[in-house]
Amino acid sequence: IDLCRSYFLTITLQRERDDFSHQRLAAIRQTLVHYQVPEGDHSGSWPPDQRWGRSGGRISSTALASLSLVDE
């Protein structure tokens, strides 16, 4: 998973108003929720084990994932 890519893709798809864009946004949202830590000390965050997370850490990963979870 590339959270930086997800963030910029989300911004781009939000500007479109077609069915394809809505389907892609829903798929991104579903993928992000799947990777969210469900319980424990890091509950609600995203692990830093993705492409840019190693340099930005858990806070960076969680920020990018949160910004990518948009309402249509």
Side-chain angles (χ1 to χ4, degrees), residues 3-71:
L3 293 174
C4 190
R5 179 176 180 251
S6 295
Y7 170 66
F8 286 107
L9 184 58
T10 298
I11 290 172
T12 302
L13 290 171
Q14 279 181 305
R15 295 174 190 228
E16 302 298 322
R17 302 283 184 214
D18 59 11
D19 289 335
F20 175 77
S21 297
H22 289 289
Q23 291 171 356
R24 292 299 302 149
L25 284 169
I28 291 169
R29 189 178 310 110
Q30 183 179 11
T31 300
L32 290 173
V33 170
H34 174 76
Y35 281 103
Q36 190 175 21
V37 178
E39 56 189 34
D41 290 341
H42 300 294
S43 175
S45 69
W46 277 263
D49 61 354
Q50 46 84 29
R51 182 174 181 184
W52 300 105
R54 290 184 262 303
S55 61
R58 184 172 300 278
I59 293 173
S60 172
S61 295
T62 300
L64 284 170
S66 297
L67 289 170
S68 299
L69 290 173
V70 297
D71 287 333

